[in-house]
Amino acid sequence: MKPRALVLAPMRGPEWDRLRKLIDVHYDPAEHSPHQAADLARQLVDTGARILITESDEVAGPVLDLPLLVVGCARGDAGNVDLGTATDRGIPVVCAPGRDADAVAELTLALILAVTRRVAVGDREIRYGTVSYRRHRAWELAGRTVGLIGYGAVGHAVAWRMRGLGMRVMVYDPEAAENRYGLDVLLAQADVVSVHASASAGPLIGAVEFAAMRAGAIFVNTSDAALHDMDALVGALRAGHLGGAALDRFAGDWLDPSHPLADMDNVVLTPHLGSGTYDTEINHTRMICEDIVRILGGEGPLHCANPGFRR
């Protein structure tokens, strides 16, 4: 009998078609709040699935008590999976590092331009007939400096796009070979500060760091809301120290419409659009499906998240 998979992440592309010839699939990628472990375990039992492909559901406790063959995590990491327990139970966890690097980099570029060229404000003014051309003059990005905090796959993808605009790129990432500046130096010199670090780095940008930025600098975060202090950001914007900000991530992926940022026309806010491309889905599908095929064929996976995993 073919093994059965419960698939809760969106999948597309030729590798997905190939995998579906090898396994039976219960496919339910509809958008929903992440399943808690107990509910997810019940779904696995009800469907008889021994393969799980998820994006953000809680893979822990009763889920890992089941005889799973493999867990596929459609993310760049497997932060929603209890990797220690999975490893102890001999369950390989495969993920898709860099799946959304280009997608997030493109959104980062869009947000920077939207803030510096006041694109959203101009759009609203056209729609409501309140156009004031002269007050929308801005500095060009060419010849200016962008500081990237975090230099993984997304940081690299942002860097070459910024260089293509004629910008000087500075990097702060203690784990990167390109890390040549302290955070204080980067903040003092960058005209645009863009965050691309992992949430595990903890809070990085607070009142002290915002104050250390150049007057008129732009702050962008497409990575994780936990990496900056929202109240400190509001304070720096209200004081006129920062020239603007753009955010794609919020706690719980939701911002109260009455929040002070929502009333600032030098701020652009988007609802976690960074990884939302069909290409991202194709990328994570390719990596996860290839690894599942390898595991079912007795080979080791290429993108295994388990530390030191040995099957």
Side-chain angles (χ1 to χ4, degrees), residues 107-150:
L107 182 68
T108 300
L109 172 58
L111 291 177
I112 291 172
L113 289 170
V115 173
T116 59
R117 299 306 302 269
R118 295 175 64 82
V119 173
V121 176
D123 176 82
R124 287 198 299 270
E125 290 188 352
I126 288 290
R127 293 173 190 273
Y128 293 103
T130 58
V131 178
S132 176
Y133 164 73
R134 290 187 180 277
R135 74 186 185 93
H136 294 318
R137 287 196 176 100
W139 294 107
E140 296 171 8
L141 295 177
R144 300 191 179 275
T145 298
V146 59
L148 305 181
I149 300 177

Side-chain angles (χ1 to χ4, degrees), residues 187-213:
L187 296 176
Q189 295 188 24
D191 300 288
V192 177
V193 174
S194 190
V195 179
H196 304 285
S198 167
S200 62
L204 290 175
I205 309 295
V208 172
E209 288 74 24
F210 283 124
M213 291 183 192

Side-chain angles (χ1 to χ4, degrees), residues 244-270:
L247 307 176
D248 186 49
R249 298 298 305 275
F250 306 94
D253 284 331
W254 184 83
L255 183 73
D256 190 324
S258 65
H259 193 279
L261 291 178
D263 286 331
M264 297 182 181
D265 66 7
N266 60 342
V267 175
V268 176
L269 309 169
T270 52

Side-chain angles (χ1 to χ4, degrees), residues 10 32 48 58 94 113 128 139 142 149 165 212 264 283 296:
H32 54 73
E58 183 185 22
V94 297
L113 289 170
Y128 293 103
W139 294 107
I149 300 177
L165 291 174
M264 297 182 181
N283 291 339
L296 294 178

